[in-house]
């Protein structure tokens, strides 16, 4: 390409261009676009319309210096696959976008050194605040976020003492599942869940026992194992081989376990939901909707949880205080075909 053929890019529109086009001073144009100063509503609106028509974009660095804010928020996570952090980030972004705040995600894995490097980089960029999230609520990220002198919110991970945190109500979600089975007329309901080292496993198991006791139904000891389809498949052998009274419903600790349960039931010639109803947990749509039949599951409302975390961080950045503590947000039951219909349905 010859030198004369090089593309010519238009110069960016400046505040001076806007002021000249609107017939006002540069100072007046600046005040109008920053919603400051005293002028008529007609003048302010004319300047804004002129800026929009010309395609004027304010200098973000200059605005940040003026307002002493970067209009960015850091999101730290060790959820490598994004199973939980990506829905959370969707909710966080939804909460912040109207305020002109951007979010950038950093994966700390399980490496304290990497986590500290990311935190230092965020502080160097003068982020307005940090949201920490993870892949389980009973483990802290491998990085110290205390005494940072900027607001820190925890979402779906273990918080520091006296911090603000948002988690899903796992016990409440388990109640939704077992209560739904009871309404469906199921009377031999069992629970297959994940490893005993997870706090949520015990919270969901206790809710399972409580609901059955409230309905006068017997509860068996939950079967605990890995968070995997293979474990769900194996659990069916434990439940059905030689059992004098077979279950008519299985409440599973996650959707992968539930999928394994359904596959194993089908291999035994049992109909789902005709012979056995199955409900999962997490509402991981890529799994739940591809299961045959499609899987009824508990949704932890992670996007809504992220939105609440984002809005709370905005309030803190704006100087509004918020009480420390853990906020539990409700889950919801997403009904598909794996659990059957209500008796009157």
């Amino acid at each position: 390409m010859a030198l004369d053929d090089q593309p010519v890019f238009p110069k960016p529109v400046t505040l001076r261009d806007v002021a000249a086009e609107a017939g006002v001073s540069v100072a007046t144009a600046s005040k109008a676009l920053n919603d400051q100063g005293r002028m008529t509503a007609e003048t302010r609106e004319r300047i804004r319309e002129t800026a929009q028509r010309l395609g004027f974009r304010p200098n973000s660095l200059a605005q940040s210096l003026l307002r002493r804010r970067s209009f960015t928020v850091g999101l730290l996570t060790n959820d490598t696959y994004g199973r939980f952090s990506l829905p959370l980030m969707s909710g966080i972004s939804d909460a912040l976008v109207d305020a002109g705040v951007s979010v950038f995600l950093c994966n700390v894995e399980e490496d304290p050194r990497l986590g500290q490097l990311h935190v230092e980089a965020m502080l160097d960029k003068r982020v307005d605040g940090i949201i920490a999230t993870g892949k389980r609520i009973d483990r802290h990220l491998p990085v110290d976020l205390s005494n940072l002198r900027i607001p820190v919110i925890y979402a779906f991970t273990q918080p520091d003492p006296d911090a603000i945190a948002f988690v899903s109500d796992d016990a409440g979600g388990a109640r939704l599942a077992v209560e739904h089975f009871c309404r469906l007329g199921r009377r031999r309901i069992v629970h297959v869940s994940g490893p005993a080292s997870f706090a949520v496993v015990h919270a969901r198991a206790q809710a399972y026992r409580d609901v059955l006791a409230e309905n006068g139904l017997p509860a068996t000891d939950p079967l605990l194992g890995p968070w995997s389809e293979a474990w769900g498949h194996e659990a069916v052998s434990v439940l059905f081989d030689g059992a004098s009274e077979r279950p008519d419903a299985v409440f599973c600790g996650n959707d992968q376990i539930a999928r394994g349960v359904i596959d194993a039931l089908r291999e035994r010639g049992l109909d789902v939901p005709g012979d056995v109803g199955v409900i999962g947990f997490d509402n991981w749509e890529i799994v739940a909707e591809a299961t045959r039949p499609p899987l009824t599951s508990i949704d932890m409302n992670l996007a809504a949880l992220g939105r609440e975390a984002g809005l709370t961080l905005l309030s803190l950045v704006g100087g509004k205080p918020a009480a420390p503590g853990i906020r539990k947000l409700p889950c919801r039951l997403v009904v598909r075909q794996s659990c059957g219909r209500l008796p009157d349905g």
Side-chain angles (χ1 to χ4, degrees):
M1 179 183 291
L3 186 61
D4 292 341
D5 294 331
Q6 293 290 331
V8 177
F9 297 101
K11 291 183 178 180
V13 178
T14 66
L15 183 62
R16 189 175 299 278
D17 297 330
V18 174
E21 183 72 14
V24 297
S25 68
V26 173
T28 299
S30 175
K31 291 174 182 177
L33 296 178
N34 286 289
D35 202 23
Q36 297 173 346
R38 302 177 67 177
M39 66 190 72
T40 66
E42 291 79 8
T43 299
R44 193 182 302 275
E45 185 61 26
R46 186 177 80 254
I47 295 170
R48 289 177 175 174
E49 288 179 353
T50 301
Q52 184 175 15
R53 176 166 49 83
L54 295 178
F56 172 70
R57 296 182 62 83
N59 185 310
S60 58
L61 176 60
Q63 287 200 325
S64 297
L65 293 173
L66 177 65
R67 303 183 189 184
R68 296 185 179 180
R69 286 184 54 188
S70 67
F71 292 89
T72 58
V73 165
L75 179 60
L76 287 172
T77 185
N78 63 350
D79 179 20
T80 306
Y81 296 105
R83 168 65 192 92
F84 305 107
S85 59
L86 291 182
L88 273 164
M89 186 170 182
S90 173
I92 292 167
S93 297
D94 181 61
L96 302 182
V97 65
D98 288 339
V101 178
S102 300
V103 182
F104 63 93
L105 173 66
C106 292
N107 181 16
V108 303
E109 300 177 1
E110 298 297 339
D111 187 340
R113 179 177 173 277
L114 179 61
Q116 190 59 40
L117 286 174
H118 282 315
V119 170
E120 290 173 1
M122 289 180 176
L123 296 177
D124 287 343
K125 294 179 184 295
R126 299 187 182 276
V127 294
D128 295 329
I130 292 176
I131 297 177
T133 185
K135 52 191 174 183
R136 53 190 293 183
I137 65 172
D138 55 358
R139 291 289 186 274
H140 198 283
L141 290 185
V143 61
D144 183 10
L145 299 177
S146 60
N147 303 314
L148 290 186
R149 292 183 292 184
I150 60 172
V152 176
I153 298 287
Y154 294 83
F156 205 80
T157 193
Q158 187 178 55
D160 285 324
D162 300 322
I164 299 172
F166 293 86
V167 298
S168 299
D169 184 357
D170 283 275
R175 290 190 68 92
L176 290 176
V178 183
E179 287 171 351
H180 190 65
F181 272 144
C182 292
R183 288 195 298 270
L184 290 168
R186 308 285 180 171
R187 291 296 176 262
R188 299 182 304 280
I189 305 168
V190 298
H191 184 32
V192 180
S193 194
S197 59
F198 281 70
V200 296
V201 167
H202 300 285
R204 295 171 190 175
Q206 187 58 53
Y208 156 79
R209 297 186 190 96
D210 291 344
V211 173
L212 292 187
E214 293 163 9
N215 285 271
L217 298 175
T220 60
D221 290 335
L223 298 182
L224 306 185
W227 298 111
S228 67
E229 289 186 35
W231 164 233
H233 197 282
E234 179 185 343
V236 170
S237 298
V238 177
L239 291 168
F240 284 83
D241 287 347
S244 58
E245 192 172 36
R246 294 180 169 183
D248 63 1
V250 185
F251 166 45
C252 300
N254 77 350
D255 292 344
Q256 292 161 285
I257 292 173
R259 186 166 180 169
V261 166
I262 289 176
D263 287 347
L265 291 172
R266 184 187 302 112
E267 291 171 9
R268 289 172 175 264
L270 295 170
D271 180 70
V272 177
D275 297 317
V276 184
V278 179
I279 296 179
F281 207 107
D282 291 348
N283 193 35
W284 192 3
E285 292 183 355
I286 195 172
V287 174
E289 293 180 353
T291 302
R292 292 293 174 263
L295 179 65
T296 294
S297 186
I298 299 298
D299 193 308
M300 293 187 291
N301 281 332
L302 293 177
L305 193 152
R307 178 174 173 78
E308 288 301 313
L311 290 174
T312 302
L313 186 63
L314 274 183
S315 293
L316 292 175
V317 170
K320 297 179 182 178
I326 297 176
R327 281 89 155 150
K328 290 186 177 182
L329 273 64
C331 299
R332 64 187 176 96
L333 177 70
V334 179
V335 178
R336 297 187 180 91
Q337 285 76 51
S338 68
C339 58
R341 297 183 177 183
L342 292 169
D344 60 353

